[in-house]
Amino acid sequence: MEGQFGWGTLVDGWRKGPWTAQEDEILIEHINQHGEGRWNSISKLTGLRRSGKSCRLRWVNYLRPDLKRGKITPHEENIILELHAMWGNRWSTIARSLPGRTDNEIKNYWRTHFKKSKKPSKNVERARARFMRQQQEQHELKGEQHQEEEEEQQQQGDMRGIMTQIEEAALAQGMQEMEACMYPLTSMLQWGGCAGGGGVSRSMSDGSSEEEAWGSLWNLDDILDVGEGACRGGFALQDQVLTFY
DNA sequence: AATACGCACAACCGCCGCTTC
DNA sequence: GGAAGCGGCGGTTGTGCGTAT
């Protein structure tokens, strides 16, 4: 069952396609009155012929009042790069660290700006080469040293402490504090995961060379892909997702 | 001026995990 | 314990617009 219904189509009784201003109004009014959630009951309560999923998506990605419209700033881009290096395609997790930005927005931004560049720039290639060298050295080093257990536990403890500080600071003082807090976190991750490499967010926001920045990112990849011991610490951090609102 | 291309954005789909009954 | 419903997430697609050729 499918038919035209103004803008969009009617499929199995559900409207699909672009939302109209009237539909937006109805949805906003409903959520203002009843709050978010119970998405599937919205159609019954409001008469909107939209599925719960569609309502939720429209609200989360477009209608929410706290959304930040406009282009991703270079600073936000840096954060996205760093967090993607840490967490991969966990867009919702990344989005939680960028107030006013949605996972959809970040996902789209990543796809158009980074994913499709099949051939990395020379700077990126150099950074990757350096990363590979460091990785090899690290592997050789690992063969000689077996003291992970104790150190790992210590690092995890340290990082959890840092995470607590980050969350408290962020809750109390918002984004600016977050930026400051990210620095010890990322440094700690590098320190725990692999040798070499400088600070991450600082080096980038200070306006140092792009290569340095990419080098830092590769180091973060190292943490997740290679450094097993530190990796576990890193994932422990992921479970304590940053929520900066 | 016409066309091609890339970017930005909105929306849908399928899967998965959690909750409820 | 298991089936059903629901919400959330990541992947993908479609479309409009601006810019380059």
Side-chain angles (χ1 to χ4, degrees):
Chain A
M1 175 177 176
E2 183 168 339
Q4 286 298 313
F5 191 81
W7 264 348
T9 53
L10 200 59
V11 181
D12 293 334
W14 296 117
R15 256 178 59 71
K16 293 190 176 185
W19 280 64
T20 65
Q22 288 97 323
E23 286 178 312
D24 283 345
E25 259 182 57
I26 292 170
L27 182 57
I28 290 170
E29 199 178 323
H30 175 85
I31 291 175
N32 284 340
Q33 284 177 4
H34 301 93
E36 295 182 37
R38 297 184 154 273
W39 299 107
N40 276 337
S41 62
I42 288 180
S43 64
K44 292 171 199 155
L45 294 172
T46 63
L48 268 178
R49 301 175 80 171
R50 293 282 184 174
S51 69
K53 278 191 172 190
S54 185
C55 291
R56 178 188 159 272
L57 215 63
R58 182 65 176 173
W59 173 256
V60 168
N61 287 333
Y62 194 79
L63 297 176
R64 248 172 45 195
D66 58 334
L67 286 183
K68 192 193 286 180
R69 317 300 297 181
K71 292 203 166 196
I72 302 279
T73 66
H75 176 65
E76 287 173 319
E77 183 183 301
N78 287 341
I79 293 175
I80 292 169
L81 284 168
E82 289 176 26
L83 296 184
H84 186 273
M86 284 172 70
W87 293 330
N89 294 358
R90 297 171 68 169
W91 305 116
S92 60
T93 305
I94 294 172
R96 276 191 274 267
S97 299
L98 288 166
R101 300 296 186 186
T102 69
D103 55 353
N104 213 27
E105 206 174 359
I106 294 168
K107 183 168 57 182
N108 284 332
Y109 186 78
W110 176 268
R111 284 183 64 83
T112 49
H113 283 81
F114 305 110
K115 183 73 176 266
K116 73 173 222 124
S117 56
K118 289 167 191 156
K119 194 164 193 283
S121 74
K122 283 187 176 177
N123 282 339
V124 172
E125 282 178 352
R126 281 208 300 266
R128 186 194 286 272
R130 199 178 57 215
F131 158 69
M132 295 301 281
R133 278 202 307 274
Q134 286 175 0
Q135 190 176 316
Q136 193 166 0
E137 287 168 14
Q138 188 67 19
H139 271 232
E140 287 165 7
L141 241 157
K142 264 189 184 170
E144 298 164 9
Q145 298 174 354
H146 299 284
Q147 9 117 281
E148 301 109 309
E149 287 294 329
E150 270 186 46
E151 284 181 5
E152 181 188 325
Q153 282 175 5
Q154 168 127 23
Q155 285 170 20
Q156 284 184 6
D158 288 347
M159 282 192 263
R160 286 203 187 92
I162 286 177
M163 285 305 300
T164 307
Q165 286 174 28
I166 290 171
E167 285 177 329
E168 284 172 359
L171 282 171
Q173 298 175 44
M175 275 299 289
Q176 285 191 339
E177 200 65 28
M178 178 197 101
E179 187 190 0
C181 288
M182 284 294 289
Y183 177 59
L185 165 65
T186 48
S187 297
M188 171 66 83
L189 285 170
Q190 284 185 68
W191 170 74
C194 58
V200 178
S201 51
R202 265 320 137 85
S203 65
M204 294 173 84
S205 50
D206 280 351
S208 356
S209 72
E210 184 191 334
E211 185 181 345
E212 274 181 317
W214 279 104
S216 301
L217 290 176
W218 292 118
N219 288 338
L220 284 168
D221 278 344
D222 185 29
I223 293 164
L224 294 183
D225 295 335
V226 183
E228 286 243 345
C231 206
R232 268 169 268 156
F235 284 124
L237 290 175
Q238 290 177 37
D239 294 332
Q240 306 178 44
V241 171
L242 301 173
T243 313
F244 294 98
Y245 283 112

